[in-house]
Amino acid sequence: MTDEAKRPGPCSGLKVLEITTMVAGPMAGQMLADLGAEVTKIEALGGDPMRHLRPRHKDMAAGFMAMNRHKRSIQLNLKDPAGQKIARDLALQADVLLENARPGVLDRLGLSYESLREDNPGLIYASVSGFGPDGPYADRPAFDQVIQAMSGAMYLQGGWVAPAPFRTMMVDKYSASAMASAIVAALLHRERSGGEGQRVTVSLLDGFSSFSLIDNLYNHMWLDGDDKIPAINTTLPIRTADGMIMGHIQTDEQFARICRLLGREELIDDPRFQGAWNRLSNIEAMWRELEKTTQTLPTAKIMEGVGREGVPIGPVNRIEDFLADPQVQHNQSIVEYRDDTYGRVLFANYPARFEKTPAHVAARSPTLGEHTDAVLAELGYSPDEIEAARTAGVAA
């Protein structure tokens, strides 16, 4: 073990009780676990639905493995009062309760914020939901693509002719990041206030709108102004001799550099491409002119010049190309974990680097109920009581 791996993460010592499924809630919990928090995940009998998806290796689904590393799993029947009591006992020992059930579900299970804060006033009660705890849509279910459709993201991707969602769980993943940062902020307030907990809510609707619309509100921002710009497609990859590249040219200097790089200096003084607005208004023509040269050159040759000239361009990669990229490997953006059961496992690394308290990606996700006995023993259950709970269908 390296010296860095021995150092505790910035959230070391914090106890998180997670009652979540699928993506947004589990990913938020995983981010806290990467930062050193002890995260105990309560799963219903049968487990998180993500466990049952493909691709799989042995008994583990890739989707579950990707969102639940470092956690402990306890399998409880929360419909049984005895299971509810176990969950409540765990919540009373926790710094954070993270849940993503529909509004009101945990209240009916005896795990409402109001009841828990009486006995655990420092608790951070963090709820992820589709639309928020109240309002006209509070009881509606929501998934990633539903919010992409509602927020205008699909329209922005393809217009009315071919509206298209992002082919990734953009809504869930950003909302998870927003929740993780909100929890850390609430913990900071608790420290500064002498121990005051609070409820924190993040909805997929609010999370994604704050992310997706931050720039797409430009035409709607000035309620008292009338300057509008037309919708312009800036996503224009161009061909090389053996692939494609994608770039973004913002300044006059950047445009001059790429023209010099490709031997197209005559374009520098072309009136269509002088100034940022002219280039944007003629962006397709600009890239098609440059493509006349790039399609005669190998991608690697162009990228050599890109590094030398400082032009913002990158290759259009497959995932395997990205994994082999030298900067990706240098940054350890993707890390390999070796597990006795599952062998070599690739994980996306935690995005921030801490000099003093590094985050760690050094543990697999738990098998279903892997830590049930250990967690119950920590609560004071004897071996006979644990076996009785299992026999009664309270735990598994």
Side-chain angles (χ1 to χ4, degrees):
M1 183 179 291
T2 65
D3 289 341
E4 180 176 291
K6 295 177 182 177
R7 286 183 285 168
C11 289
S12 180
L14 292 171
K15 289 187 175 183
V16 178
L17 180 63
E18 180 187 310
I19 311 175
T20 74
T21 61
M22 298 306 287
V23 178
M27 183 176 169
Q30 178 173 276
M31 296 183 80
L32 298 174
D34 287 351
L35 294 172
E38 178 187 286
V39 180
T40 299
K41 181 183 180 81
I42 294 178
E43 298 189 65
L45 302 184
D48 186 329
M50 287 291 283
R51 288 188 179 276
H52 307 295
L53 302 180
R54 294 183 59 198
R56 303 175 63 81
H57 177 51
K58 298 184 177 179
D59 61 347
M60 183 67 72
F64 186 85
M65 179 72 90
M67 304 290 176
N68 292 278
R69 61 183 177 236
H70 294 288
K71 300 175 187 178
R72 302 194 300 173
S73 169
I74 176 172
Q75 196 177 182
L76 291 179
N77 180 3
L78 292 180
K79 296 179 181 178
D80 189 302
Q84 295 169 14
K85 181 182 183 305
I86 294 170
R88 183 177 180 84
D89 288 343
L90 290 170
L92 295 181
Q93 295 181 3
D95 297 288
V96 178
L97 187 152
L98 173 62
E99 62 93 12
N100 69 346
R102 287 199 206 174
V105 170
L106 261 63
D107 296 3
R108 295 191 292 272
L109 298 177
L111 296 169
S112 70
Y113 173 55
E114 289 72 21
S115 67
L116 291 173
R117 71 177 175 182
E118 292 181 7
D119 297 314
N120 186 0
L123 180 67
I124 308 302
Y125 193 99
S127 301
V128 181
S129 63
F131 296 104
D134 46 42
Y137 300 162
D139 293 330
R140 289 188 184 181
F143 286 92
D144 195 290
Q145 291 86 350
V146 173
I147 303 300
Q148 287 195 42
M150 289 183 63
S151 67
M154 288 180 60
Y155 171 76
L156 290 167
Q157 289 286 100
W160 289 124
V161 176
F166 297 102
R167 294 185 179 182
T168 180
M169 295 172 288
M170 192 80 74
V171 174
D172 285 328
K173 290 185 288 186
Y174 181 76
S175 298
S177 298
M179 175 51 85
S181 65
I183 288 170
V184 172
L187 288 165
L188 179 60
H189 168 77
R190 188 179 73 169
E191 178 182 313
R192 291 175 172 176
S193 67
E196 180 182 53
Q198 62 179 299
R199 185 164 193 168
V200 178
T201 62
V202 170
S203 71
L204 302 186
L205 182 70
D206 294 344
F208 191 60
S209 64
S210 73
F211 169 73
S212 173
L213 295 181
I214 194 168
D215 53 340
N216 289 314
L217 277 178
Y218 287 172
N219 270 349
H220 306 273
M221 181 173 286
W222 307 121
L223 297 180
D224 298 320
D226 56 7
D227 184 28
K228 309 288 184 183
I229 61 172
I232 298 173
N233 180 19
T234 61
T235 55
L236 296 167
I238 59 175
R239 292 170 294 169
T240 66
D242 56 359
M244 301 191 82
I245 58 175
M246 178 79 177
H248 182 81
I249 303 301
Q250 186 69 32
T251 68
D252 292 342
E253 178 57 28
Q254 289 169 344
F255 180 63
R257 287 178 182 177
I258 193 172
C259 290
R260 289 193 292 267
L261 168 67
L262 298 176
R264 299 296 307 276
E265 288 87 347
E266 78 279 6
L267 295 177
I268 296 175
D269 295 324
D270 190 313
R272 295 176 297 169
F273 311 135
Q274 290 183 347
W277 180 249
N278 283 334
R279 283 191 297 275
L280 190 61
S281 300
N282 297 283
I283 192 167
E284 186 169 356
M286 180 190 79
W287 286 113
R288 294 300 165 236
E289 283 288 351
L290 295 172
E291 188 179 47
K292 292 176 182 178
T293 302
T294 62
Q295 65 185 345
T296 69
L297 300 170
T299 300
K301 181 69 173 177
I302 297 172
M303 294 313 300
E304 287 176 10
V306 162
R308 184 176 62 251
E309 296 292 337
V311 179
I313 284 178
V316 176
N317 282 334
R318 299 166 299 176
I319 299 298
E320 49 267 40
D321 300 325
F322 182 76
L323 295 177
D325 187 280
Q327 187 67 49
V328 173
Q329 295 180 350
H330 172 82
N331 285 8
Q332 294 187 306
S333 305
I334 307 296
V335 293
E336 181 180 304
Y337 168 72
R338 292 175 180 260
D339 183 75
D340 292 341
T341 301
Y342 299 102
R344 296 176 299 156
V345 181
L346 286 184
F347 281 130
N349 204 351
Y350 191 83
R353 304 292 182 261
F354 297 84
E355 179 185 6
K356 304 297 184 184
T357 54
H360 300 294
V361 178
R364 62 168 170 81
S365 298
T367 57
L368 179 58
E370 180 176 351
H371 305 95
T372 295
D373 289 2
V375 172
L376 291 178
E378 290 170 9
L379 288 176
Y381 284 67
S382 69
D384 288 344
E385 289 171 325
I386 294 173
E387 182 58 32
R390 287 181 172 275
T391 301
V394 172

